[in-house]
């Protein structure tokens, strides 16, 4: 474990956040490192492995835990999935290399009940759910959090690319990563203020290249392991197969309908389509040369509604499951709203918007967004820059197009199907 110092290995107050006043240790706790127990959530990947190694090197009392979340029989040795059998094996080997205790927690049943089943139900209704958010809020920062406390942990550390720091009120706040391309704050908006006080994210101020370099310096077998890509419990990324297995009869055939009311064809079930989809609609020449996109999934009536690209425009979204972790209380937001930056997909940058709190929460975009779907997360930020504060977010329950979108001037039938 002896190694030359480097910028990344010297975990600064920016990574963990300094406590107000003195800083007895790099985690911001008023006790020596060797008396500070840190439970590290180890997935078997390079990121969480480096977290464990860094903390071990700094002299902390490190305990590793790995969650077994699903029946990994179909995913063993499959690249691009987390929490599978190979990943658990890798986590165990890394823990042994670091000479730290390692526990595997069987969370399969609760993962199925709280993440997989709700995902399937939401997807079957035409929504676009984000199961990684549910996994963080319902499993990692809930059950795992409680387990960490039961193990005597002072903090719970993970390999996410975000960071926490103390705000002006002396409470830990969540911030985007230094490396905007690696930022994972979109998946952590549901973290509560209470949870943030005990969470640490050591990689928030690092790049992926620095993390892999550290893994090589620590001689970790996962140094060059590929990053996870797929939703872990969906073999080969075929969502429709999972939905049909968990919800028999969910794939109900119906009509493919243009927003002007024309029936253009038939489909085998809305679960085979997503908002914004253009290819694979199976319409042949029915579009008369006009590029068509899926603009709405009406599971109640088994309809896939299509239209031109401009029909994808969204001006306003309504939210459910609101979580506010910004300064002050959400009730303090004035009736005229608050300017924020919002992100509606993990692959998109934050854009300007305005948050309104009244009879439910809603966000109005400064500029119309395309391809927004119910079920997606809408995450709030203080700015669009790296390391911006995360203010919270919610799940999109409904979308509204710009006023006048369906006027004759847009060459769309003046009385289209309701969206």
């Amino acid at each position: 474990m002896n190694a030359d110092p480097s910028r990344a290995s010297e975990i600064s107050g920016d990574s963990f956040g300094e406590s107000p006043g003195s800083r007895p240790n790099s985690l911001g706790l008023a006790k020596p490192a060797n008396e500070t127990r840190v439970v590290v959530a180890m997935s078997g990947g390079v990121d969480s492995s480096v977290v464990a190694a860094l903390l071990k090197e700094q002299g902390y009392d490190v305990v590793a835990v790995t969650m077994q979340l699903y029946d990994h029989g179909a995913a063993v040795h499959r690249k691009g999935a987390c929490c599978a059998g190979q990943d658990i094996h890798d986590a165990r080997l890394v823990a042994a290399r670091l000479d730290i205790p390692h526990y595997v927690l069987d969370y399969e049943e609760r993962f199925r009940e709280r993440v997989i089943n709700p995902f399937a139900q939401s997807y079957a209704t035409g929504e676009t759910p984000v199961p990684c958010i549910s996994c963080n809020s319902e499993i990692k920062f809930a059950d795992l959090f409680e387990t960490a406390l039961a193990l005597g942990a002072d903090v719970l550390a993970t390999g996410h690319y975000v960071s926490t720091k103390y705000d002006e009120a002396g409470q830990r706040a969540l911030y985007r990563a230094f490396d905007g391309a690696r930022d994972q704050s979109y998946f952590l908006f549901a973290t509560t203020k209470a949870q943030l006080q005990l969470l640490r994210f050591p990689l928030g101020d690092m790049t992926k290249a620095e993390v892999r370099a550290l893994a090589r310096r620590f001689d970790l077998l996962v140094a060059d392991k590929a990053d996870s890509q797929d939703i872990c419990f969906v073999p080969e990324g075929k969502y429709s197969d999972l939905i049909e297995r968990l919800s028999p009869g969910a794939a109900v055939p119906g009509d493919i309908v243009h927003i002007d009311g024309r029936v253009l064809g038939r489909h085998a079930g809305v679960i085979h389509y997503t908002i914004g989809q253009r290819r694979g609609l199976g319409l042949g020449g029915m579009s008369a040369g006009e590029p068509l996109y899926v603009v709405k999934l009406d599971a109640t009536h088994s309809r896939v509604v299509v239209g031109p690209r401009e029909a994808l425009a969204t001006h306003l979204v309504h939210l459910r499951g609101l979580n506010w972790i910004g300064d002050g209380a959400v009730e303090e937001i004035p009736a005229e709203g608050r300017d924020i930056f919002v992100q509606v997909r993990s692959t998109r940058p934050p854009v300007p918007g305005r948050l309104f709190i009244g009879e439910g929460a809603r966000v109005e975009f400064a500029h119309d967004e395309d391809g927004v779907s119910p079920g997606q997360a809408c995450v709030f930020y203080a700015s669009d820059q790296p390391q911006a504060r995360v203010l919270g977010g919610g799940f999109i329950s409904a979308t509204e197009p710009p006023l006048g979108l369906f006027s004759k001037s847009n060459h769309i039938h003046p009385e289209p199907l309701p969206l």
Side-chain angles (χ1 to χ4, degrees):
M1 292 297 295
N2 295 326
D4 294 333
S6 70
R7 186 196 76 81
S9 65
E10 293 177 352
I11 304 176
S12 68
D14 288 336
S15 294
F16 289 114
E18 289 191 29
S19 60
S22 62
R23 192 188 76 176
N25 66 40
S26 62
L27 295 177
L29 300 178
K31 58 195 307 185
N34 63 355
E35 297 178 11
T36 303
R37 172 160 290 188
V38 184
V39 168
V40 178
M42 289 185 62
S43 66
V46 63
D47 297 325
S48 57
S49 297
V50 167
V51 167
L54 284 170
L55 293 170
K56 171 71 173 182
E57 182 180 60
Q58 288 209 339
Y60 289 99
D61 176 15
V62 179
V63 176
V65 295
T66 301
M67 299 176 294
Q68 181 171 314
L69 297 179
Y70 62 96
D71 182 356
H72 53 76
V76 172
H77 304 305
R78 181 173 61 88
K79 295 181 179 180
C82 67
C83 308
Q86 184 62 46
D87 297 314
I88 294 173
H89 178 67
D90 290 344
R92 181 178 292 112
L93 292 178
V94 169
R97 166 75 181 89
L98 300 176
D99 191 25
I100 59 177
H102 177 248
Y103 301 96
V104 177
L105 308 176
D106 184 358
Y107 285 170
E108 282 194 29
E109 183 176 353
R110 64 193 76 184
F111 185 72
R112 182 174 61 253
E113 293 176 350
R114 301 180 195 175
V115 179
I116 298 179
N117 290 343
F119 169 85
Q121 294 163 6
S122 176
Y123 204 88
T125 65
E127 293 190 339
T128 305
V130 189
C132 293
I133 296 176
S134 299
C135 181
N136 287 324
S137 63
E138 299 293 331
I139 303 294
K140 292 180 181 177
F141 299 156
D143 293 328
L144 179 57
F145 203 87
E146 294 300 320
T147 298
L149 293 177
L151 289 172
D154 293 290
V155 299
L156 171 63
T158 81
H160 289 98
Y161 285 84
V162 293
S163 65
T164 62
K165 305 172 188 176
Y166 284 100
D167 62 13
E168 294 179 355
Q171 298 296 309
R172 297 196 77 88
L174 186 65
Y175 295 83
R176 296 185 69 204
F178 166 78
D179 183 354
R182 303 298 308 184
D183 176 59
Q184 293 176 297
S185 59
Y186 180 84
F187 301 104
L188 297 173
F189 84 86
T191 307
T192 67
K193 289 183 177 181
Q195 291 167 346
L196 287 174
Q197 306 316 305
L198 294 179
L199 284 168
R200 300 295 187 272
F201 305 102
L203 307 187
D205 292 341
M206 299 184 194
T207 65
K208 188 71 175 191
E210 289 174 328
V211 171
R212 290 199 182 278
L214 282 168
R216 297 184 189 100
R217 178 166 73 81
F218 289 122
D219 193 26
L220 302 181
L221 62 95
V222 295
D224 297 308
K225 187 174 181 178
D227 292 335
S228 299
Q229 299 293 332
D230 300 336
I231 293 177
C232 64
F233 56 87
V234 185
E236 308 302 329
K238 296 186 68 175
Y239 302 165
S240 58
D241 290 350
L242 174 73
I243 309 307
E244 289 183 302
R245 179 168 59 83
L246 296 179
S247 302
V252 180
D255 291 329
I256 300 178
V257 186
H258 194 279
I259 59 173
D260 64 10
R262 289 178 290 147
V263 176
L264 302 182
R266 295 281 292 174
H267 66 78
V270 298
I271 63 174
H272 299 287
Y273 300 84
T274 57
I275 300 296
Q277 179 178 336
R278 177 183 174 185
R279 300 183 183 278
L281 300 183
L283 295 177
M286 295 298 294
S287 62
E290 176 187 46
L292 294 177
Y293 301 80
V294 175
V295 300
K296 180 180 174 63
L297 297 173
D298 182 1
T300 302
H301 300 95
S302 299
R303 294 188 306 187
V304 173
V305 183
V306 299
R309 183 174 180 82
E310 58 260 39
L312 287 171
T314 297
H315 180 64
L316 184 148
V317 294
H318 296 270
L319 305 178
R320 64 174 185 262
L322 185 70
N323 183 53
W324 180 259
I325 53 176
D327 53 300
V330 69
E331 293 80 11
E332 297 173 359
I333 294 177
E336 60 269 24
R338 171 172 171 166
D339 288 332
I340 57 173
F341 285 80
V342 295
Q343 186 174 355
V344 293
R345 285 192 179 181
S346 63
T347 54
R348 293 184 182 180
V351 297
R354 194 165 183 81
L355 172 64
F356 297 89
I357 302 295
E359 295 182 1
R362 67 187 189 280
V363 168
E364 183 177 308
F365 299 110
H367 308 286
D368 297 340
E369 283 283 294
D370 286 347
V372 181
S373 171
Q376 291 173 336
C378 180
V379 182
F380 314 149
Y381 299 92
S383 81
D384 60 351
Q385 297 301 304
Q387 299 180 298
R389 182 169 182 174
V390 184
L391 303 177
F395 294 99
I396 298 171
S397 58
T399 64
E400 292 187 19
L403 292 175
L405 173 64
F406 298 114
S407 64
K408 292 180 180 179
S409 63
N410 285 315
H411 306 290
I412 301 176
H413 194 281
E415 297 181 357
L417 291 173
L419 298 181

